[in-house]
Amino acid sequence: MGTIDSTGLYTAPTPAPSADVVQVTATSVADPSKSKSAPATLLNPIAQVYLFTPNTAFTLTVTGNQFLNGAQAMFGQTPVNTTFVDSSHLTASGTAPASGVINVTVVNPAPDGTPSAVAALAAGGVSQRAAVRFLEQSSFGPTPSQLVAVESGGMEQFLNAQFQAPASPYPTPDPNAQVLFNEDAAFFQNAVDPQASSDQLRQRVVFAFNQIWVVSGNKVGQPRFFTPYLQTLATDSFTNYRQIMEDITLNPAMGLYLDMVNNGKPDPVVGTHANENYARESMQLFTIGDNVLNPDGTPVLHSGNFVPTYTQADIQDLARAFTGWTFFDPGLNCNNYPYGDYNNSQAGSMPMVACDNNHDVGTKTILGTNLPANQTSQQDLDQALDIIFNHPNLPPFVAERFIRNLVTSNPSSAYVTRVANAFVAGTFTSNGIRFGTGQRGDMQALLAAVLLDAEARRGDSSTTENPLDGHLREPTLLMTNVLRQLNGTTDGQNIFFTAGSIGQQVFYAGSVFNFYPPLATIPLTQPALFGPEFALYNTGSTLSRVNLIEQMIFSSISQGTTVDLASIAGLANDPPTMVQALNQQLLHGTMSAPMQTQILNAVNAVPNSNPLMRARRRRI
């Protein structure tokens, strides 16, 4: 006997009647003399496939729900040997390719026989755990399609594809806007929505560059200046660090932010001197750092003290070398008016231009190298940047910044050395695939070395896991990872306010030092461990993070941002499998046994008749 609820929903008995067509009679409880009958055709449910666990070469445990005894697994169009375990598990074995993608479906026995949705399985490639970790480092978070790409094609092929992917666009800037609402929305849409962006690595590198070569909307909040700055970072992300140095130096947004635009030659009559702001920060934060470094990134010590990389005299002469640059302006007259018009329509979109009449032509000495007198603005700038670019500090400095941003806060000196060497050589080879042009400063070689190094891949297997590896996710990466891994979509609108509520309103860094000091350590660690992102982490922000995740799952962080928990809810009748699936998906298999027990207890406290709440369940 089945049941009919007050809405008229009929639930068939378990086990179902042997006949496909049954007569369903509804009898009134209030008046048993009143009844009505109708024929109903009973169809078996359509299976849902969620997770694969390789057992042997071509034997799989297929995890899903609504599997029936007699269910048939298919590799493509080919049926394979299938054993029914329970309603959530099958084992399937057969012939499959050693590599590539297998399209797996499950078909329940008749009546009906509709196949499940296709689930893609990567055969013979990268493990799910390794692929999740790699995508956490090289993107804004794993998605099912990217996992398959990495698992089946390998990490090197994924990087090659990412290096070739076209840059995602930013909206045409509103010339009258004074805030970065549309730019922030585009950033989050590119970062989160799989349909909006195929260049995840480029967008992640743009985010890293924006935190190294900082321009903040707190001072440069006009989209007509800020958007070209972002476009320059995107265009240059996979080129050469020397190219980035020049393009950002001459970018008008940077010129505004650190006062290089309209930086005129000194005037001894009135006592003015060249503005030193950009000269100082370009060495301290963007290129070579405060202190002389060994090739492995450790500081050189003299009598136990740091050795300064540059002097005040170096800053002053570099500032003089950077004089004479102004906004692009079709009406510019360097003879009479050596400053371009900030308000002209092209001032923000075009690189700054030189007015040599406003350039200091005296001799200069920068980091021990002389620049001769009577050179043009461009000549002095080119030679000054070349001196910095070829400084021995630059490779380990840049290597360490990108390792910390993408992979781990506490890299070994050997890891830094290997990445720095790839930066110097301009090339890096992994599994027979060569990255880079062979030119010093090649960004593709640097990024491949950062992401494919043995220390970056340590932890891809539980046997190589090191508890000191990794880094705290800053608020933006926390948000994007959760949204992407829970099938989130977004229009990007207003979620930058949410990021701001937990300490990181994108594009509005508090200073040129970014949202957090790049060399901050974790309080109370002995010996001290680096953990720059912990500068944003305290009791209050911890609670804010928890509340943010709860808001994502139980409602929404903005009207145009949602997550889809259907695949997790589909495992509600098998809580251990649900927890294990989330363990692999969100924590690449590192969930502790006590944590799994607590989550299972919380899930089991919810009736299995409410699968969505089981998926959402928070521990009370």
Side-chain angles (χ1 to χ4, degrees):
M1 184 176 296
T3 60
I4 303 174
D5 67 17
S6 60
T7 67
L9 179 64
Y10 168 69
T11 301
T14 303
S18 57
D20 297 345
V21 179
V22 298
Q23 196 77 4
V24 178
T25 301
T27 302
S28 169
V29 175
D31 183 356
S33 67
K34 302 292 174 43
S35 65
K36 191 70 175 178
S37 299
T41 300
L42 304 183
L43 300 178
N44 281 330
I46 299 173
Q48 295 180 355
V49 177
Y50 184 72
L51 183 70
F52 301 109
T53 306
N55 291 334
T56 60
F58 298 122
T59 300
L60 306 172
T61 294
V62 182
T63 301
N65 58 79
Q66 303 191 135
F67 298 157
L68 299 180
N69 196 356
Q72 175 67 62
M74 310 282 290
F75 286 1
Q77 301 299 314
T78 305
V80 296
N81 295 328
T82 307
T83 301
F84 175 80
V85 179
D86 56 40
S87 62
S88 295
H89 301 90
L90 306 172
T91 58
S93 60
T95 302
S99 61
V101 176
I102 309 168
N103 290 324
V104 179
T105 56
V106 172
V107 183
N108 277 332
D112 195 1
T114 300
S116 69
V118 172
L121 167 68
V126 177
S127 71
Q128 183 185 26
R129 175 186 174 119
V132 170
R133 289 188 73 249
F134 175 76
L135 288 169
E136 288 173 343
Q137 297 162 353
S138 60
S139 74
F140 284 99
T143 61
S145 62
Q146 284 192 325
L147 280 171
V148 169
V150 174
E151 290 170 9
S152 60
M155 298 176 187
E156 291 84 2
Q157 294 292 352
F158 177 84
L159 289 183
N160 259 337
Q162 287 292 295
F163 288 144
Q164 301 303 316
S168 296
Y170 274 84
T172 301
D174 179 349
N176 300 313
Q178 300 297 312
V179 291
L180 303 174
F181 288 165
N182 291 335
E183 289 65 33
D184 278 318
F187 167 82
F188 278 107
Q189 194 169 25
N190 290 341
V192 172
D193 197 329
Q195 303 304 315
S197 168
S198 61
D199 62 330
Q200 276 283 297
L201 178 61
R202 185 191 302 273
Q203 296 301 315
R204 180 73 187 272
V205 172
V206 168
F207 186 51
F209 268 128
N210 176 236
Q211 295 182 287
I212 299 172
W213 293 77
V214 176
V215 171
S216 173
N218 288 328
K219 183 176 179 180
V220 187
Q222 303 83 3
R224 66 191 183 96
F225 283 93
F226 204 92
T227 298
Y229 157 76
L230 293 174
Q231 291 168 334
T232 299
L233 292 180
T235 300
D236 287 357
S237 285
F238 300 152
T239 58
N240 190 286
Y241 206 79
R242 174 62 177 80
Q243 184 75 45
I244 293 160
M245 289 171 63
E246 180 153 351
D247 287 350
I248 297 301
T249 297
L250 296 181
N251 182 270
M254 180 62 80
L256 282 171
Y257 188 60
L258 292 182
D259 307 313
M260 185 179 146
V261 68
N262 297 335
N263 184 22
K265 60 187 176 183
D267 187 341
V269 175
V270 297
T272 61
H273 58 83
N275 189 294
E276 299 170 4
N277 201 9
Y278 182 72
R280 177 181 295 103
E281 308 304 2
S282 65
M283 290 192 291
Q284 178 186 3
L285 298 174
F286 306 162
T287 54
I288 57 177
D290 284 329
N291 303 306
V292 176
L293 301 175
N294 293 306
D296 63 2
T298 58
V300 172
L301 299 177
H302 181 69
S303 300
N305 298 314
F306 295 123
V307 179
T309 310
Y310 52 84
T311 65
Q312 177 60 23
D314 289 317
I315 295 171
Q316 290 172 330
D317 278 11
L318 183 59
R320 292 170 54 222
F322 286 159
T323 56
W325 295 92
T326 188
F327 297 117
F328 175 86
D329 183 354
L332 181 65
N333 183 339
C334 287
N335 292 321
N336 298 318
Y337 304 102
Y339 297 123
D341 181 6
Y342 163 87
N343 292 308
N344 91 82
S345 62
Q346 300 179 70
S349 61
M350 300 293 289
M352 293 190 293
V353 296
C355 269
D356 288 335
N357 288 353
N358 212 23
H359 176 62
D360 185 323
V361 296
T363 59
K364 308 163 187 75
T365 302
I366 300 170
L367 302 174
T369 300
N370 294 327
L371 301 186
N374 299 315
Q375 295 202 123
T376 65
S377 304
Q378 186 69 57
Q379 288 172 325
D380 269 358
L381 181 136
D382 287 343
Q383 291 176 27
L385 292 182
D386 284 343
I387 291 167
I388 297 170
F389 178 68
N390 288 293
H391 192 280
N393 262 29
L394 185 76
F397 180 89
V398 176
E400 202 158 38
R401 287 301 300 268
F402 273 92
I403 291 171
R404 286 197 168 121
N405 191 284
L406 300 177
V407 177
T408 181
S409 294
N410 292 277
S412 68
S413 57
Y415 184 9
V416 174
T417 300
R418 291 189 293 268
V419 175
N421 288 343
F423 182 92
V424 172
T427 186
F428 178 80
T429 300
S430 177
N431 286 331
I433 297 179
R434 181 178 182 269
F435 299 92
T437 60
Q439 299 296 315
R440 177 186 175 95
D442 188 282
M443 284 300 300
Q444 294 188 27
L446 171 83
L447 293 168
V450 168
L451 293 167
L452 299 175
D453 187 85
E455 193 164 320
R457 307 280 39 93
R458 183 169 67 188
D460 285 353
S461 165
S462 60
T463 60
T464 62
E465 190 172 277
N466 186 318
L468 297 184
D469 286 345
H471 62 100
L472 177 69
R473 284 182 185 155
E474 56 201 279
T476 296
L477 293 182
L478 173 70
M479 288 175 55
T480 60
N481 269 268
V482 172
L483 287 169
R484 285 174 66 82
Q485 296 203 50
L486 297 181
N487 300 310
T489 59
T490 184
D491 58 6
Q493 297 294 325
N494 298 320
I495 62 175
F496 54 89
F497 290 126
T498 306
S501 71
I502 54 174
Q504 193 175 35
Q505 188 167 333
V506 173
F507 301 151
Y508 285 87
S511 74
V512 72
F513 293 94
N514 187 27
F515 293 96
Y516 43 81
L519 295 179
T521 56
I522 305 173
L524 305 181
T525 53
Q526 292 294 334
L529 293 173
F530 288 105
E533 298 87 352
F534 278 90
L536 300 178
Y537 194 73
N538 53 43
T539 303
S541 66
T542 301
L543 295 174
S544 296
R545 284 173 174 239
V546 173
N547 291 336
L548 171 65
I549 301 304
E550 181 175 24
Q551 185 180 353
M552 283 185 185
I553 293 171
F554 281 85
S555 55
S556 175
I557 59 173
S558 74
Q559 186 174 4
T561 302
T562 60
V563 297
D564 181 359
L565 300 178
S567 59
I568 303 297
L571 298 174
N573 64 335
D574 185 359
T577 298
M578 174 190 284
V579 174
Q580 186 56 33
L582 287 172
N583 180 21
Q584 295 297 326
Q585 182 176 335
L586 297 175
L587 299 177
H588 38 77
T590 61
M591 189 183 294
S592 67
M595 182 178 180
Q596 293 188 49
T597 299
Q598 290 191 30
I599 295 173
L600 274 173
N601 290 341
V603 170
N604 284 324
V606 179
N608 62 10
S609 59
N610 193 342
L612 182 58
M613 186 55 68
R614 278 198 161 189
R616 287 172 164 170
R617 180 61 167 164
R618 60 180 179 271
R619 184 173 181 269
I620 305 300

